[in-house]
């Protein structure tokens, strides 16, 4: 199987030697550790903690962060890594995103120097797992309505509240929890807190019976009188801009990652069509099959050009928020369509875990939803185009 079969314009030729090295390194890891096992992991709803150490050795955890034991790679290198990981499975790319783009980014962007030194080296080494608690049962697309609170009592903070769909929470050692705090002026603002998960009153319960992201962990969190020291608060960037800046890091990775799932599904359909014979010739020899393959390849190629453009802009510090929304909206949308179309070429065999497209399509239902739904990113782009906010 040629993983670059959909690269009709030879876009990968524009990758630097360092970028190609990252691609090859992560692709080899996926081929060796993930592909042979992912069907069983998905069927058994098993998250393979046994591969975390090697992910850390490869520099994948917080790989965009500079210093503190992190790899300090470029935005494009990070994107390429996410694409290769998601060609294996969205759930395993999600682990790297939650650990690096969300939990580690929150500490790197908003934490004190002491907090960075305490957590980031261990998180980069895979010795400390983090999670990022923003979403709540009644506060998803609108986190400003969160009900979790943090109240100062003497030299402690006391947290109360619930969170939902929090990746890795049941295996994490530290949780970045976003809560409302009433400041001296009486104004309520969202602030971040670093919560050791063994703190009394903190409970994380895995969400089971999922039809998507089965090789990944998502949890409900409850906090009842969770008491933290005064220095548990993230001191920088109060308000929703704190979590939103982390979400943008994760959204950027998704722009690339979703294409990995689409590319893998396309390749599965292409390979199958070359060998599956019906009516005395392979499926690939039929016009309808070729039309499907061409349309999938074109969408993947356009998405790749979009991802690379956004990555170059990010490396040049020229990336704007609406551009991230354009990439996340477009590439998730086309990726899930490609995976579903690829499944049709596999016939009945395509509904088994012997082939990847339907697994990818199921995972992408989650990817399309988290870090901003299609509707949220449409409204962000609509506001950019018109100057009018239509969120309320």
């Amino acid at each position: 199987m040629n993983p670059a079969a959909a690269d009709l314009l030879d876009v990968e030729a524009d990758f630097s030697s360092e970028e190609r090295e990252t691609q090859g390194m992560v692709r080899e890891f996926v081929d060796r550790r993930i592909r042979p096992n992912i069907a069983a992991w998905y069927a058994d709803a098993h998250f393979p903690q046994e591969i975390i150490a090697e992910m850390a050795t490869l520099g994948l955890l917080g790989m965009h962060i500079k210093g503190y034991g992190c790899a300090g790679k470029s935005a494009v290198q990070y994107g390429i890594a996410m694409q290769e990981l998601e060609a294996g499975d969205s759930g395993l790319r999600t682990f790297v995103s939650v650990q690096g783009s969300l939990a580690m980014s929150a500490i790197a962007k908003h934490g004190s120097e002491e907090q960075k030194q305490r957590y980031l080296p261990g998180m980069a080494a895979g010795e400390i797992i983090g999670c990022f608690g923003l979403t709540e049962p009644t506060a998803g697309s609108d986190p400003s309505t969160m009900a979790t609170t943090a109240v100062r009592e003497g030299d402690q903070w006391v947290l109360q509240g619930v969170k939902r769909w929090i990746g890795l929470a049941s295996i994490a050692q530290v949780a970045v929890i976003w809560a409302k705090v009433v400041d001296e002026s009486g104004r309520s603002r969202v602030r971040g807190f670093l919560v050791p998960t063994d703190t009394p009153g903190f409970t994380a319960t895995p969400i089971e019976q999922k039809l998507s992201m089965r090789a990944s962990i998502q949890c409900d969190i409850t906090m009842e009188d969770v008491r933290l020291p005064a220095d548990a608060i993230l001191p920088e960037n109060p308000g929703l801009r704190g979590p939103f800046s982390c979400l943008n890091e994760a959204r950027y990775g998704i722009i690339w990652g979703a294409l990995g799932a689409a590319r893998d599904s396309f390749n599965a359909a292409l390979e199958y069509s070359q060998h599956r014979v019906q009516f005395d010739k392979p499926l690939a020899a039929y016009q309808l099959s070729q039309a499907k393959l061409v349309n999938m390849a074109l969408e993947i190629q356009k998405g790749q050009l979009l991802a690379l453009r956004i990555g170059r802009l990010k490396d040049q510090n020229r990336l704007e928020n609406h551009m991230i929304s354009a990439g996340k909206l477009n590439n998730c949308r086309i990726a899930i369509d490609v995976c579903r179309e690829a499944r049709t070429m596999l016939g009945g065999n395509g509904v088994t875990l012997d082939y990847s497209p339907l697994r990818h399509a199921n995972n992408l239902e989650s990817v399309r939803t988290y870090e901003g739904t299609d509707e949220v990113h449409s409204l962000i782009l609509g506001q950019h185009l018109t100057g009018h906010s239509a969120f309320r």
Side-chain angles (χ1 to χ4, degrees), residues 142-312:
D142 183 9
S144 68
T145 61
M146 73 171 62
T148 299
T149 60
V151 176
R152 187 68 179 263
E153 292 185 3
D155 61 353
Q156 292 184 320
W157 290 101
V158 182
L159 271 61
Q160 308 274 6
V162 295
K163 300 290 182 180
R164 185 161 175 80
W165 296 115
I166 308 306
L168 309 179
S170 62
I171 65 169
Q173 286 80 46
V174 62
V176 178
I177 297 294
W178 302 94
K180 283 186 175 177
V181 174
V182 177
D183 62 23
E184 296 82 359
S185 67
R187 180 184 178 188
S188 177
R189 304 194 74 181
V190 172
R191 300 299 301 266
F193 294 85
L194 298 181
V195 183
T197 57
D198 60 359
T199 304
F202 183 98
T203 304
T205 305
I207 298 170
E208 299 178 345
Q209 306 300 320
K210 295 180 300 180
L211 298 176
S212 178
M213 291 288 183
R214 290 181 55 78
S216 183
I217 299 172
Q218 288 78 37
C219 299
D220 289 313
I221 290 176
T222 60
M223 292 166 287
E224 299 177 352
D225 293 317
V226 172
R227 294 183 175 271
L228 304 172
D231 62 0
I233 194 170
L234 295 173
E236 304 297 331
N237 300 314
L240 280 172
R241 64 179 176 172
F244 281 172
S245 68
C246 303
L247 292 180
N248 276 340
E249 295 291 346
R251 290 165 175 169
Y252 169 74
I254 290 168
I255 294 169
W256 288 83
L259 293 176
R263 187 192 73 202
D264 186 69
S265 297
F266 167 83
N267 286 336
L270 177 61
E271 182 176 27
Y272 186 87
S273 71
Q274 298 281 7
H275 300 102
R276 176 69 168 179
V277 175
Q278 291 290 286
F279 303 105
D280 302 322
K281 62 180 180 180
L283 296 180
Y286 288 97
Q287 291 181 356
L288 288 175
S289 297
Q290 292 185 10
K292 288 183 177 184
L293 291 167
V294 167
N295 289 335
M296 286 189 281
L298 287 173
E299 292 304 320
I300 293 169
Q301 188 74 122
K302 288 185 285 186
Q304 189 75 68
L305 289 166
L306 180 60
L308 186 58
R309 169 64 176 169
I310 289 173
R312 298 290 186 223

Side-chain angles (χ1 to χ4, degrees), residues 106-123:
I107 298 169
K109 291 174 180 287
H110 314 309
S112 66
E113 184 60 29
E114 189 278 332
Q115 289 168 337
K116 295 174 188 177
Q117 294 287 353
R118 179 179 178 184
Y119 287 107
L120 291 179
M123 295 177 82

Side-chain angles (χ1 to χ4, degrees), residues 25-82:
M25 175 187 73
V26 182
R27 184 174 290 174
E28 188 278 332
F29 169 75
V30 169
D31 288 344
R32 175 170 47 84
R33 295 300 306 273
I34 295 177
R35 289 191 191 279
N37 301 301
I38 187 57
W41 292 339
Y42 190 91
D44 296 339
H46 170 69
F47 171 68
Q49 296 186 55
E50 58 270 25
I51 68 173
I52 292 175
E54 187 169 359
M55 286 181 167
T57 299
L58 295 175
L60 296 176
L61 306 183
M63 68 182 295
H64 63 294
I65 297 171
K66 291 180 170 56
Y68 307 99
C70 301
K73 299 297 184 181
S74 71
V76 171
Q77 284 176 283
Y78 175 70
I80 289 170
M82 296 307 98

